[in-house]
Amino acid sequence: VFSALSGIYQYIKLSNPTDLTVDFAEFRTVHRFDHALMPKVSNIIRSEATPDVSGRPLIQDTTWQLADGTYWSKYDLCGYIRETPWFGVYGGGFGGWIVSASREYHSAGPLKQELLVHQDSLMLNYFHSTHFGTPNLLVPPGWSKFFGPYLVYINTGSEEEVLADAANQALIEQSQWPYSWVEDEEYPLSRGSVSGRVTGQTKAMVVVYDAVEQQFDLQNLGYLFHAETNEDGTFAIENIRPGSYDVVAYPLAGHGSENLARKSITVEAGGLREVGDLELPEPTGIIWAIGETDRKSDGFRYSHELRNFYWHLVTPKKLQFVVGQSNHSREWYYSQSEGVWQVVYEDQPDNQGRILRLAIAAATGSLIFNVTTAHLQVEVNDFALADFEFDNDKAVYRDALQSGNFFWEKITVPAETVIDGENVLSLRVTRGSIMYDAISLAREAA
């Protein structure tokens, strides 16, 4: 607590001093305000009052149908946590906010989505949860981790003033990170930096993380730092805790959805670690593509709407996309539920096979029908190519419109299945929902 600041800094140290592994699904703080006084919430993307759901039919987990036939859910107010440095509750001349200078201590990766605020004037600081496909936190014996500090900030003014002030306070907190007043051996004040360059596909995300025994986008035991590359592929990430890390790069454009560059490094206090080049080769021989890979469905229809349960109910069960005629922003949708989508394209035999790349941004079961997997069958010209079953990341029915857990599949299309003239790729979802990142077809390398 500082006399000149209207707020309280908090941090949490979590440790396991036992000889047992502890398993839990979520870890959070909850701050509740007077709903009659402060009825509005903001996650930056949307700032609004929450509706009265009392007496309304419950569709599924905290999702209701309102009197006008529309839907409302607490998941409408989720967001990408590493893109949300502040959020909170406001009204009546007051605002209450969580302001985070860093998200290095949260679970998962750059695309981790989380509950932030919801009805009853609640704001939630989730350090770990399984809401959008992140696995349970299995805490091993002797493990410890430092969460925070973050600021619980209180301000006053009109609605516009408290929102603008919260955004400004986030910039102030970021400029002061790491906080010099923290005295704890698990919170190093002297930190290092990492720089380098991504080559090939230079538009990329770079992740630095220390729980290297885990997949970077599902990690929950350690600390994670990230940055997008500059136009020339260069990157620099500051304020990294001293320690051993893996540096991982993945593409945010192009068609190499399977590509992942990785190096192991050590970061020293006060030092700059130059990692050199991280290569993300761009595939050649592309015949056609729907979208470009960035591990999200952005660019497809409905993907940029405000989160709501409604959207996955109105995507078509049957779809035919004609390469060279159809427009992916209008005629390819962010998510496919049970049914068959087809891609129609021209090709001709040349004694070469084809490479079909399917980049999947999310794979979701159905909470209403108790479906715990998503099932996808892939055919070309009625020839069965692949049959995939994915674990439920719970993303689509929890209102996510762009991502959940990411998968990539690189499928060989035999040369004898290529026909002269019209060819048809069929994507059949028999259970759950599939959210596509990008799809492309290329000639197989000679």
Side-chain angles (χ1 to χ4, degrees), residues 381-394:
N381 300 326
D382 296 324
F383 179 84
L385 288 178
D387 191 301
F388 301 114
E389 190 139 6
F390 303 101
D391 289 338
N392 180 18
D393 61 17
K394 310 172 188 175

Side-chain angles (χ1 to χ4, degrees), residues 72-99:
W72 189 86
S73 171
K74 69 179 183 181
Y75 297 106
D76 292 2
L77 298 166
C78 288
Y80 288 101
I81 196 164
R82 288 179 169 84
E83 298 176 8
T84 313
W86 61 274
F87 57 87
V89 177
Y90 64 102
F94 297 93
W97 314 97
I98 295 289
V99 181

Side-chain angles (χ1 to χ4, degrees), residues 255-259 281-286 288 290 354-360 408-413 425 438-443:
H255 308 294
S257 52
E258 74 274 21
N259 291 333
E282 185 61 32
T284 59
I286 300 294
W288 57 260
I290 301 175
R354 303 290 187 258
I355 298 296
L356 175 67
R357 288 178 170 86
L358 288 179
I360 295 171
W408 62 266
E409 304 295 345
K410 187 176 177 182
I411 306 166
T412 298
V413 181
L425 165 67
I439 305 173
S440 67
L441 187 74
R443 288 180 175 80

Side-chain angles (χ1 to χ4, degrees), residues 256-274:
S257 52
E258 74 274 21
N259 291 333
L260 198 71
R262 180 186 296 266
K263 286 187 178 181
S264 297
I265 64 167
T266 298
V267 175
E268 297 181 352
L272 170 62
R273 181 63 163 86
E274 171 58 53

Side-chain angles (χ1 to χ4, degrees), residues 25-85:
E26 63 179 45
F27 168 41
R28 67 181 186 178
T29 63
V30 180
H31 297 81
R32 184 187 297 270
F33 294 85
D34 184 345
H35 185 66
L37 177 65
M38 303 166 66
K40 294 189 175 182
V41 296
S42 178
N43 65 359
I44 300 179
I45 299 297
R46 56 203 299 176
S47 301
E48 59 195 35
T50 56
D52 181 5
V53 297
S54 57
R56 301 309 309 161
L58 183 67
I59 304 301
Q60 62 167 31
D61 171 27
T62 56
T63 301
W64 295 268
Q65 189 167 27
L66 305 180
D68 63 359
T70 61
Y71 299 93
W72 189 86
S73 171
K74 69 179 183 181
Y75 297 106
D76 292 2
L77 298 166
C78 288
Y80 288 101
I81 196 164
R82 288 179 169 84
E83 298 176 8
T84 313

